[in-house]
Amino acid sequence: MAVTVKSAREIDLMRTAGKYLAELHEKMGEAIRPGMSTMDIDRMGEKIIRSYGCTPNFLHYNGFPASICVSVNEEVVHGIPSEHRILKEGDVVSLDCGLIYKGYHSDAARTHIVGDAPEEVKLLVERTKQSFFEGIKKAVDGGHLYDISNRIDEYISQFGYGIVRDLVGHGIGTKLHEDPQIPNFAQKKRGLKLCAGMTLAIEPMINLGRGDVDWLDDDWTVVSSDGSISAHYENTIVVNKEGEPEILTLLD
Ligand code: MG
Ligand code: MG
């Protein structure tokens, strides 16, 4: 599939899809507390998405059974919500979800700490988020795709964390996953030339230990192989003609 460049009208629709998703993440982040099940988060999230008149794009995607991926501690991504998984103080909870507005997708992830956690865990979460902001500095018209990958790798590697290599960012638009794939680790080549109107979901997934991952028997949940805590941060962005990209899934 070719990489698509969106028109001003399409970007406007994606801006709305992004704004709703940013609001959703704010609301879910405020609601997280000990004693809540991961299923509670999914129910709440789906209800909010539908209240916007939007559709959850993760629900039934390749058979995924829920609207919100809720991944706790050593779970990296694609955690399946469950009534039996009760959040407790110190848990690290990554929420990944998206929605469709008038045929256009948004996709974003946030990692929250339930209550308090050790300093090294707080730093992992902060630095994973920062690595996204480092990467997007390179998402400029005329730049190259892998400049983003290289910058994320360069920033994260100084801390000795493990970058997850088996899962990557992606283009997004009328489909949740479009070309190109966007690795979060250094590449030998420069990759395709970026141009204004490309819409990308950039999403570093970083482990406190090594970057290797395994898939659980549910065929969805991805966990760090060494059991170390993992963090995830993602936004949908659009490359601009000049200057920094616009982040569609963050509130002003
Ligand atoms: Mg996502
Ligand atoms: Mg994504």
Side-chain angles (χ1 to χ4, degrees):
M1 193 175 72
V3 176
T4 59
V5 172
K6 276 74 175 181
S7 67
R9 178 190 149 272
E10 290 181 292
I11 291 166
D12 227 33
L13 292 170
M14 291 186 70
R15 200 171 274 129
T16 304
K19 183 181 77 77
Y20 283 139
L21 184 55
E23 276 183 27
L24 169 65
H25 267 299
E26 290 285 318
K27 289 176 181 170
M28 291 192 299
E30 284 165 15
I32 285 185
R33 62 185 186 283
M36 206 177 185
S37 77
T38 55
M39 180 69 90
D40 290 335
I41 298 173
D42 179 62
R43 289 209 186 99
M44 173 190 178
E46 180 173 352
K47 197 171 160 191
I48 294 169
I49 291 171
R50 297 203 188 279
S51 77
Y52 296 143
C54 296
T55 311
N57 48 9
F58 284 24
L59 183 63
H60 307 316
Y61 184 85
N62 291 338
F64 189 76
S67 299
I68 317 289
C69 291
V70 187
S71 309
V72 184
N73 297 334
E74 79 284 1
E75 296 170 357
V76 178
V77 286
H78 305 166
I80 299 174
S82 162
E83 285 175 39
H84 306 294
R85 186 74 192 256
I86 308 297
L87 297 182
K88 57 183 195 312
E89 177 86 13
D91 278 343
V92 177
V93 185
S94 297
L95 304 181
D96 185 8
C97 53
L99 55 82
I100 309 168
Y101 171 76
K102 296 190 177 174
Y104 285 83
H105 291 252
S106 55
D107 184 8
R110 307 279 184 261
T111 296
H112 302 281
I113 295 172
V114 183
D116 204 10
E119 189 63 17
E120 65 168 2
V121 173
K122 287 190 225 172
L123 285 173
L124 172 75
V125 172
E126 272 170 37
R127 289 163 174 170
T128 299
K129 178 176 178 178
Q130 185 58 33
S131 72
F132 162 85
F133 287 97
E134 294 296 325
I136 64 159
K137 289 177 187 167
K138 304 292 184 183
V140 294
D141 185 83
H144 286 80
L145 182 67
Y146 295 152
D147 296 343
I148 301 171
S149 311
N150 294 344
R151 182 58 199 139
I152 292 171
D153 188 317
E154 184 183 38
Y155 175 77
I156 285 297
S157 293
Q158 64 180 312
F159 306 115
Y161 298 146
I163 299 174
V164 174
R165 303 165 78 96
D166 288 5
L167 297 137
V168 296
H170 51 93
I172 180 168
T174 54
K175 296 193 180 68
L176 173 58
H177 295 121
E178 297 186 351
D179 280 342
Q181 294 201 343
I182 311 170
N184 297 302
F185 51 97
Q187 303 292 307
K188 290 199 178 76
K189 295 180 177 172
R190 301 185 74 187
L192 78 105
K193 200 168 180 179
L194 298 171
C195 69
M198 285 182 178
T199 44
L200 308 172
I202 299 173
E203 50 176 318
M205 289 153 267
I206 310 295
N207 296 346
L208 197 49
R210 291 169 53 85
D212 309 76
V213 296
D214 293 310
W215 268 256
L216 297 186
D217 288 340
D218 62 19
D219 281 339
W220 279 108
T221 314
V222 179
V223 297
S224 61
S225 300
D226 61 7
S228 64
I229 299 283
S230 188
H232 185 198
Y233 187 83
E234 176 183 29
N235 282 303
T236 298
I237 67 139
V238 55
V239 177
N240 275 331
K241 191 72 204 161
E242 284 174 350
E244 296 206 350
E246 180 181 347
I247 302 173
L248 301 178
T249 47
L250 266 188
L251 298 176
D252 297 332

